[in-house]
Amino acid sequence: VHTWYDQAGSNNAVQATAGSQPKIAENGELLADGIDFNGSDNFLTTSNNFVFSDTDDLSISSVLKSDTVSAVGTLLSQNGTGGKVLITLRTDSNINSYLGGGSGVTLVPYSVDKELLLTAIYDDSANTLDGFKNAVSENTNTSVTSTACTGTLNIGVSRSSNEYLNGTVKEFIIYKSDQTDNRFRIESNINNYY
């Protein structure tokens, strides 16, 4: 995958280096599980900065399948001063979400080769970060602090470039707003599509 097109039309994720491009097809056939990241050097970076203020809300939904629990891998991170790891798969077999300063929530335990619909919703006014797996609430952190950051987003690697994702991703939906009231519709739409 050289370019994963942003459906909003404003911030495509790209990888110009052929050897670092995740796969979407093999032997002339699309991969059934989505875009495949190899865990060692595959990642995509958005073409434009993602601006996140310290008062923004944030909602992220993704369809993911991990190939391993033996290494830390990052699904989504942000570059820049104050950059934040948004979703990381940890060696302790949990999926975590962080918003700057280490404030985060353990979203879910996960299993190898099991597709998951993940959602993380940050509400700045309440300082809460909620995590959902397959539309079921898993955990809430009620004392999250967020820091402002402007920088590109990475899909499949941490901002320090040493935690590569080993697995597949079918979808990313990112809103700079609290989508709690719309979560059921967003997740139902993703579920029905896949």
PDB file of all heavy atoms in Angstrom, residues 5 76 88 114 118 130 166:
ATOM      1  N   TYR A   5      -6.195   5.945   1.237  1.00  0.00           N
ATOM      2  CA  TYR A   5      -6.904   7.200   1.023  1.00  0.00           C
ATOM      3  C   TYR A   5      -7.864   7.531   2.156  1.00  0.00           C
ATOM      4  O   TYR A   5      -8.647   6.692   2.591  1.00  0.00           O
ATOM      5  CB  TYR A   5      -7.661   7.162  -0.308  1.00  0.00           C
ATOM      6  CG  TYR A   5      -6.718   7.136  -1.487  1.00  0.00           C
ATOM      7  CD1 TYR A   5      -6.381   5.943  -2.107  1.00  0.00           C
ATOM      8  CD2 TYR A   5      -6.126   8.309  -1.944  1.00  0.00           C
ATOM      9  CE1 TYR A   5      -5.493   5.910  -3.169  1.00  0.00           C
ATOM     10  CE2 TYR A   5      -5.240   8.299  -3.002  1.00  0.00           C
ATOM     11  CZ  TYR A   5      -4.922   7.094  -3.611  1.00  0.00           C
ATOM     12  OH  TYR A   5      -4.032   7.076  -4.655  1.00  0.00           O
ATOM     13  N   LEU A  76      -1.781   3.051  16.320  1.00  0.00           N
ATOM     14  CA  LEU A  76      -1.890   4.451  15.948  1.00  0.00           C
ATOM     15  C   LEU A  76      -1.084   5.304  16.917  1.00  0.00           C
ATOM     16  O   LEU A  76      -1.208   5.154  18.132  1.00  0.00           O
ATOM     17  CB  LEU A  76      -3.361   4.879  15.981  1.00  0.00           C
ATOM     18  CG  LEU A  76      -3.706   6.268  15.479  1.00  0.00           C
ATOM     19  CD1 LEU A  76      -3.427   6.398  13.983  1.00  0.00           C
ATOM     20  CD2 LEU A  76      -5.172   6.584  15.751  1.00  0.00           C
ATOM     21  N   THR A  88      -1.971   1.120  21.510  1.00  0.00           N
ATOM     22  CA  THR A  88      -0.813   0.242  21.499  1.00  0.00           C
ATOM     23  C   THR A  88      -1.220  -1.164  21.923  1.00  0.00           C
ATOM     24  O   THR A  88      -1.996  -1.327  22.859  1.00  0.00           O
ATOM     25  CB  THR A  88       0.267   0.742  22.483  1.00  0.00           C
ATOM     26  OG1 THR A  88       0.629   2.067  22.130  1.00  0.00           O
ATOM     27  CG2 THR A  88       1.497  -0.133  22.441  1.00  0.00           C
ATOM     28  N   LYS A 114      -7.812 -13.143  16.006  1.00  0.00           N
ATOM     29  CA  LYS A 114      -9.220 -12.882  16.286  1.00  0.00           C
ATOM     30  C   LYS A 114      -9.510 -11.428  15.954  1.00  0.00           C
ATOM     31  O   LYS A 114      -8.929 -10.521  16.547  1.00  0.00           O
ATOM     32  CB  LYS A 114      -9.541 -13.171  17.747  1.00  0.00           C
ATOM     33  CG  LYS A 114     -11.003 -13.083  18.061  1.00  0.00           C
ATOM     34  CD  LYS A 114     -11.274 -13.609  19.449  1.00  0.00           C
ATOM     35  CE  LYS A 114     -12.769 -13.682  19.666  1.00  0.00           C
ATOM     36  NZ  LYS A 114     -13.089 -14.279  20.946  1.00  0.00           N
ATOM     37  N   LEU A 118     -12.537  -2.177  17.760  1.00  0.00           N
ATOM     38  CA  LEU A 118     -12.101  -1.402  18.917  1.00  0.00           C
ATOM     39  C   LEU A 118     -12.581   0.027  18.807  1.00  0.00           C
ATOM     40  O   LEU A 118     -12.537   0.621  17.728  1.00  0.00           O
ATOM     41  CB  LEU A 118     -10.578  -1.391  19.011  1.00  0.00           C
ATOM     42  CG  LEU A 118      -9.879  -2.732  19.120  1.00  0.00           C
ATOM     43  CD1 LEU A 118      -8.380  -2.526  19.148  1.00  0.00           C
ATOM     44  CD2 LEU A 118     -10.338  -3.466  20.357  1.00  0.00           C
ATOM     45  N   ASP A 130     -12.851   6.101  27.489  1.00  0.00           N
ATOM     46  CA  ASP A 130     -13.606   4.853  27.525  1.00  0.00           C
ATOM     47  C   ASP A 130     -13.124   3.926  26.419  1.00  0.00           C
ATOM     48  O   ASP A 130     -12.908   4.368  25.289  1.00  0.00           O
ATOM     49  CB  ASP A 130     -15.105   5.122  27.318  1.00  0.00           C
ATOM     50  CG  ASP A 130     -15.707   5.932  28.442  1.00  0.00           C
ATOM     51  OD1 ASP A 130     -15.634   5.469  29.589  1.00  0.00           O
ATOM     52  OD2 ASP A 130     -16.239   7.020  28.172  1.00  0.00           O
ATOM     53  N   ASN A 166       2.143  -5.994  14.146  1.00  0.00           N
ATOM     54  CA  ASN A 166       2.148  -7.261  13.424  1.00  0.00           C
ATOM     55  C   ASN A 166       0.706  -7.744  13.379  1.00  0.00           C
ATOM     56  O   ASN A 166       0.212  -8.341  14.321  1.00  0.00           O
ATOM     57  CB  ASN A 166       3.045  -8.293  14.124  1.00  0.00           C
ATOM     58  CG  ASN A 166       3.222  -9.540  13.293  1.00  0.00           C
ATOM     59  OD1 ASN A 166       2.583  -9.714  12.264  1.00  0.00           O
ATOM     60  ND2 ASN A 166       4.097 -10.418  13.746  1.00  0.00           N
TER      61      ASN A 166
END
